[in-house]
Amino acid sequence: MTRIVVVGSINMDLVTQAPRFVGPGETILGERFLTVPGGKGANQAVAAARLGAEVALVGALGDDAFGQQLRAGLAAEGVNLEHVARLAESASGTASITVAGGENQIIVVPGANARVTPAHVEAARSLIEPADAVLVQMEIPLDTVEATVRLGHRLGVPVTLNPAPAQKLPNDWLRLACYVTPNQHELAILLGADPAEDFQTLMQRTPCPVVLTRGSEGAWYREHGEPLHQPGFRVDVVDSTGAGDTFNAALAAFLHEGLPLAVRKACAAAALSVTKLGAQGGMPDLRELDAFLAQQR
Ligand code: RIB
């Protein structure tokens, strides 16, 4: 069983489905409201667990009702929560999400996620040391992301850095990551480059291997120096929230099968994830993923 440690955020997603996005000062009627578990770290943990990995999460929740619900949900998915702190005087993270026409707009209020420190990562060293992979995203403080990448590198455990939401990152620790997994927009921000620049050129300028996600167009990566493209899978999109998280989790869960197959499975899992409402709603389990892939030519 692949052992994965995820270091990242846990949010309650407050999701409104609407006919379209609103403009400033405008009020419209929405169609549906849902309160569902989310947060990039928690999403990646759940997606990897559904795909059969043994998963532990390092993060923090507030000492509030959302915190209790989120903890119970993660435990029910089989995620090890030994290193998820309960922080008094902090609210749990929230994300206010509008979904319209399969696209989303998101405002995250980090709450307890802003108090996940390098010390929390160091405290999980005994979990990280024997792990097959570490996943980290950027909804927690940057020094904690850096500490995760550095510790993984020191212990010889491959770290996948999902640079979302994107910020420009220093090359000296970016090069310690095993993979970085931005979309095109995030890649430009990561490098401080012009977003209009050709993504293949940007990929070559990145100091560590890149697996670039392009939504319905699939993913680009390099194998033995050659640029390779995994086309996306055609599905009916209900909600794209969490697609990137599902991609990252599947990539880590199947990396031992080789990069091309892992990227193919990651694209398929991400495609399935967008067919239902809510970040974790459509994340497939292993059986669903295998059945979907068997239907493809
Ligand atoms: O990647 C999707 C996630 O981003 C949502 O679940 C939301 O919580 C935000 O963190």
Side-chain angles (χ1 to χ4, degrees), residues 6 8-11 13 36-50 55 57 70 74 77 79 95 97 106 135 137 139 240-250 278-281 283:
V6 183
S9 59
I10 312 168
N11 294 333
D13 288 355
V36 288
K40 294 185 192 302
N43 292 344
Q44 294 185 14
V46 167
R50 286 192 192 165
V55 184
L57 179 58
L70 289 164
L74 285 160
E77 296 281 353
V79 176
I97 304 180
I106 306 182
L135 283 170
Q137 330 72 34
E139 277 184 343
S240 60
T241 313
D245 299 328
T246 310
F247 181 93
N248 277 276
Q280 296 173 14
M283 285 173 179

Side-chain angles (χ1 to χ4, degrees), residues 185-258:
H185 173 73
E186 289 160 351
L187 178 61
I189 296 176
L190 193 65
L191 301 176
D194 179 350
E197 218 178 306
D198 170 52
F199 71 86
Q200 302 222 32
T201 314
L202 291 180
M203 280 173 72
Q204 278 178 286
R205 269 179 39 203
T206 315
C208 63
V210 179
V211 180
L212 183 100
T213 56
R214 299 204 76 207
S216 61
E217 288 172 38
W220 284 85
Y221 60 102
R222 295 181 88 86
E223 177 91 322
H224 310 303
E226 285 302 307
L228 294 173
H229 177 222
Q230 167 62 53
F233 294 89
R234 221 170 258 238
V235 288
D236 292 330
V237 182
V238 174
D239 178 7
S240 60
T241 313
D245 299 328
T246 310
F247 181 93
N248 277 276
L251 189 70
F254 298 116
L255 207 49
H256 62 278
E257 298 182 9

